[in-house]
């Protein structure tokens, strides 16, 4: 499994594509947080990173499918999947290796963003600075969110041998699960109490819950369950190949 993980990791950084994807992610975050007027935290007047944690999921929604779209699609297209099947690897080990390899790339992209809370803390006019508990909780939520998006991207890549199709399907499904249930819960017919339970099915609900700084076991179970479901779907999908 770790051999597949290292292969996936090295393959992503073997060309400029990997570096460009991470640079674009950091550049977009930097522009939104410190340059663009509507989202500039320096003009906001408060030492907070709420804008970053609101914007990051939408950027990851496009970045992660771009990272995972070639995971299995290129293997199918190049005929190397048959070679992988001859190796002493179970399908779960293969899927897990692909998953952790892609997740590691995303975590590397998130590491430089630690400079944001450090910068805001240093610029804070008051001694208290930013809410470190909420910030740590938001980072935990962002990591779990990234884990779910990677699992979705891997599942979509196992469905086709076309990387572009895998990217589009992955981005759409990530968008649907992140904000779709929240939108459905606003339908007037569901406002009698069912809206809360519909909203609970969405990723955004649990991401916002963890971002408050309180790591609830229900939110963790939700994220792990969604990750397991999509990895299981990927494993079942590979059985048809």
């Amino acid at each position: 499994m770790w051999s597949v993980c290292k292969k996936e990791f090295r393959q992503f950084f073997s060309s400029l594509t990997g570096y460009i994807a991470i640079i674009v992610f950091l550049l977009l975050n930097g522009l939104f947080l410190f340059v663009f007027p509507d989202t500039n935290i320096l003009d906001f007047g408060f030492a907070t990173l709420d804008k970053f944690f609101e914007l990051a999921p939408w950027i990851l929604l496009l970045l992660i499918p771009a990272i995972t779209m070639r995971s299995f699609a290129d293997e199918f297209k190049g005929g190397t999947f048959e070679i992988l099947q001859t190796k002493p690897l179970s399908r779960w080990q293969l899927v897990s290796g692909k998953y952790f390899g892609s997740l590691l790339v995303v975590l590397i992209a998130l590491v430089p963003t630690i400079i944001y809370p450090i910068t805001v803390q240093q610029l804070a006019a008051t001694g208290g600075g930013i809410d470190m508990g909420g910030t740590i909780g938001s980072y935990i939520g962002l990591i779990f969110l990234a884990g779910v998006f990677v699992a979705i991207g891997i599942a979509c890549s196992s469905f086709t041998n076309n990387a572009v199709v895998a990217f589009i399907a992955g981005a759409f499904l990530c968008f649907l699960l992140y904000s779709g249930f929240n939108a459905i819960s606003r339908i007037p017919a569901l406002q009698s109490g069912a809206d809360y339970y519909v909203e609970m099915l969405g990723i955004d609900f649990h991401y916002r819950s963890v971002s408050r700084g309180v790591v609830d076991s229900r939110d963790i179970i939700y994220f792990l369950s969604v990750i397991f479901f999509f990895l299981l779907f990927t494993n079942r999908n590979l059985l048809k190949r």
Side-chain angles (χ1 to χ4, degrees), residues 104-181:
L104 185 58
V105 173
V106 179
L107 294 180
I108 288 176
L110 289 175
V111 167
T113 65
I114 296 175
I115 196 173
Y116 298 152
I118 296 174
T119 302
V120 174
Q121 181 71 16
Q122 293 298 319
L123 293 175
T126 59
I130 62 175
D131 179 9
M132 291 305 298
T135 301
I136 293 173
S138 296
Y139 266 107
I140 293 174
L142 204 58
I143 291 171
F144 277 109
L145 178 77
V148 172
F149 283 175
V150 169
I152 294 172
I154 293 289
C156 291
S157 183
S158 70
F159 190 73
T160 177
N161 59 1
N162 190 315
V164 177
V165 173
F167 169 78
I168 295 173
F172 175 75
L173 195 53
C174 288
F175 170 78
L176 193 64
L177 289 179
Y178 180 71
S179 63
F181 289 101

